[in-house]
Amino acid sequence: MMRTRPLKVALLGCGVVGSEVARIMTTHADDLAARIGAPVELAGVAVRRPSKVREGIDPALITTDATALVKRGDIDVVVEVIGGIEPARTLITTAFEHGASVVSANKALLAEDGAALHAAAEQYGRDLYYEAAVAGAIPLVRPLRESLAGDKVNRVLGIVNGTTNFILDRMDTSGAGYSEALDEATALGYAEADPTADVEGFDAAAKAAILAGIAFHTRVRIGEVHREGITEVTAADIASARRMGCTVKLLAICERAADGQSVTARVHPAMIPLSHPLASVREAYNAVFVEAEAAGQLMFYGPGAGGSPTASAVLGDLVAVCRNKLGETTGPGESAYTRLPVSPMGEVVTRYHISLDVADKPGVLAQVATVFAEQGVSIDTVRQQGKDGEASLVVVTHRAHDAALSATVEALRKLDTVRGVASIMRVEGE
């Protein structure tokens, strides 16, 4: 039997995502009620600019006092889509204290202070759900947290930022340079006016921290995630990747060490073979591979951003949290029992693609090979082209530690015959 008294929802933020959440709550009210077992009512919407016209939302629900809204005491669920660290952190903990569970899309806050938020939720017996914080509409948090709870996840590898994937895809398919591709992404609405969070890898790093924490049952903060953006990727890098039968993607990679005693989390551009499924992820789409001992390799694919996709994930969490409210229970909280340390990037082992500008004369290749050998880095392939006394030398290594590769590059810079290191890129996905 359906309960007639509605569950009350407070919405913090009414931008692209928040307005779509409100719209779906209104237009799909009957379906949501049937799925939950009780109607849901939008009880208040906190915004910064109350004068802005918000189609489909009763103006009487609009308030600029978000603190008063979450303190009301009759609110069952708070949906937080304002982003940032403060005031979101204080509003969420205040909501817990005054009886509400929380659905959030705030990746930056969860990556920075997720442990404290989970502790507050547990202290007050509330839910904290955040599917929308990682990959838009793609179901990823709940499969990791619930469906794979009985399995051992060893690796999470994927494309988790649509803006950078669009830019790199355009550079690959049209031959555009980075600036041209970014301008196109901005014109189409894929990139913000200030794209720093996306192109410098901050957005993907926050998501990697969240995914690593859930996958490996340990706490990983964004400051522990190695981060490189795509601003240094050139058309020459894209062309070189193509000659190798690869393409370039910004990847988030979370791995459990072979001995199981530590984890790594990193975000950086990498060359991946065209035969790898991630190579075919185009435009602003996201895709994530999860490798587990029993389940094997799973792939999750779909739109990773945008109002409607993100709102879909928010509403999915809202339904789950409301069901828990009716059942007077809570869903899974933080699982950090393994307490595994996060290893620094220097301990990561992978392959590398290094492009060198060198003098076009005999003996250069031998000198370069000697440097690699002295640092214990094995060479897989070498390609050299020369003209008018100058040459380019492309070296692809076998798997090596990042620290060893860094030492190799420093030694190469000291050679008189090496004019400069044009680019360094990791090779993944094999």
Side-chain angles (χ1 to χ4, degrees):
M1 180 180 295
M2 182 179 293
R3 193 180 83 165
T4 57
R5 182 169 63 85
L7 292 161
K8 295 189 176 182
V9 177
L11 180 60
L12 307 182
C14 198
V16 174
V17 176
S19 58
E20 189 67 8
V21 169
R23 184 192 69 79
I24 295 173
M25 284 184 64
T26 302
T27 58
H28 294 255
D30 291 342
D31 286 335
L32 290 173
R35 294 165 191 172
I36 292 169
V40 287
E41 173 189 316
L42 189 58
V45 181
V47 299
R48 285 185 297 178
R49 292 177 292 170
S51 60
K52 181 180 178 180
V53 176
R54 293 173 172 85
E55 187 176 347
I57 298 177
D58 184 351
L61 297 177
I62 301 296
T63 178
T64 57
D65 194 342
T67 301
L69 178 59
V70 300
K71 281 184 173 180
R72 275 178 37 174
D74 64 334
I75 300 296
D76 294 290
V77 183
V78 169
V79 174
E80 182 272 308
V81 288
I82 57 177
I85 305 300
E86 288 291 358
R89 173 167 47 200
T90 299
L91 291 170
I92 288 173
T93 55
T94 301
F96 292 147
E97 184 180 354
H98 287 80
S101 289
V102 173
V103 172
S104 176
N106 196 332
K107 53 188 167 287
L109 177 57
L110 288 159
E112 176 63 33
D113 214 16
L117 294 179
H118 277 292
E122 183 177 1
Q123 177 185 350
Y124 293 104
R126 316 298 179 210
D127 271 325
L128 174 62
Y129 276 50
Y130 43 91
E131 184 69 67
V134 175
I138 304 172
L140 193 56
V141 171
R142 195 169 291 128
L144 283 172
R145 196 159 70 164
E146 300 178 30
S147 303
L148 295 173
D151 208 339
K152 182 181 180 182
V153 175
N154 290 317
R155 194 170 193 242
V156 179
L157 165 74
I159 299 164
V160 295
N161 183 272
T163 301
T164 52
N165 198 59
F166 179 89
I167 292 170
L168 293 173
D169 182 49
R170 279 293 184 269
M171 291 176 70
D172 185 36
T173 57
S174 71
Y178 168 78
S179 296
E180 296 171 275
L182 173 59
D183 288 344
E184 184 178 358
T186 303
L188 292 172
Y190 292 129
E192 301 286 346
D194 179 1
T196 303
D198 293 320
V199 299
E200 294 292 357
F202 289 101
D203 174 86
K207 295 171 180 177
I210 295 169
L211 289 173
I214 299 171
F216 307 134
H217 302 277
T218 195
R219 289 176 179 168
V220 179
R221 298 183 65 176
I222 189 169
E224 297 174 301
V225 179
H226 176 82
R227 174 191 56 80
E228 298 172 30
I230 66 167
T231 56
E232 300 300 318
V233 177
T234 66
D237 292 327
I238 301 293
S240 189
R242 193 179 300 114
R243 285 193 291 269
M244 288 177 58
C246 294
T247 189
V248 177
K249 299 291 185 182
L250 182 72
L251 299 180
I253 306 170
C254 311
E255 294 178 304
R256 189 191 300 268
D259 63 5
Q261 300 304 303
S262 65
V263 300
T264 60
R266 50 196 166 104
V267 168
H268 54 72
M271 296 181 179
I272 58 173
L274 294 175
S275 58
H276 193 283
L278 287 179
S280 62
V281 178
R282 304 289 303 280
E283 304 261 323
Y285 276 75
N286 287 186
V288 178
F289 273 88
V290 177
E291 298 175 8
E293 284 196 355
Q297 193 176 74
L298 309 172
M299 181 175 176
F300 301 83
Y301 169 85
S308 294
T310 306
S312 171
V314 169
L315 268 295
D317 279 351
L318 179 64
V319 169
V321 170
C322 286
R323 286 172 175 169
N324 291 343
K325 278 279 184 178
L326 291 180
E328 297 182 346
T329 187
T330 55
E334 182 188 35
S335 174
Y337 72 92
T338 63
R339 297 182 176 87
L340 295 173
V342 182
S343 296
M345 187 64 189
E347 297 181 16
V348 170
V349 177
T350 188
R351 297 180 67 206
Y352 295 86
H353 174 281
I354 304 103
S355 180
L356 305 171
D357 294 326
V358 300
D360 187 15
K361 62 181 184 180
V364 173
L365 180 56
Q367 286 184 329
V368 169
T370 297
V371 170
F372 277 87
E374 289 174 345
Q375 299 299 329
V377 178
S378 176
I379 294 175
D380 182 17
T381 61
V382 177
R383 185 176 69 253
Q384 184 173 9
Q385 291 179 321
K387 184 178 180 182
D388 299 328
E390 298 295 328
S392 64
L393 190 65
V394 175
V395 178
V396 179
T397 74
H398 288 290
R399 292 175 65 82
H401 280 93
D402 188 86
L405 194 281
S406 296
T408 302
V409 171
E410 288 305 308
L412 288 170
R413 294 184 195 276
K414 296 176 182 178
L415 293 178
D416 292 338
T417 51
V418 174
R419 312 297 193 212
V421 179
S423 68
I424 305 170
M425 192 171 294
R426 296 169 182 87
V427 182
E428 299 281 352
E430 295 183 307

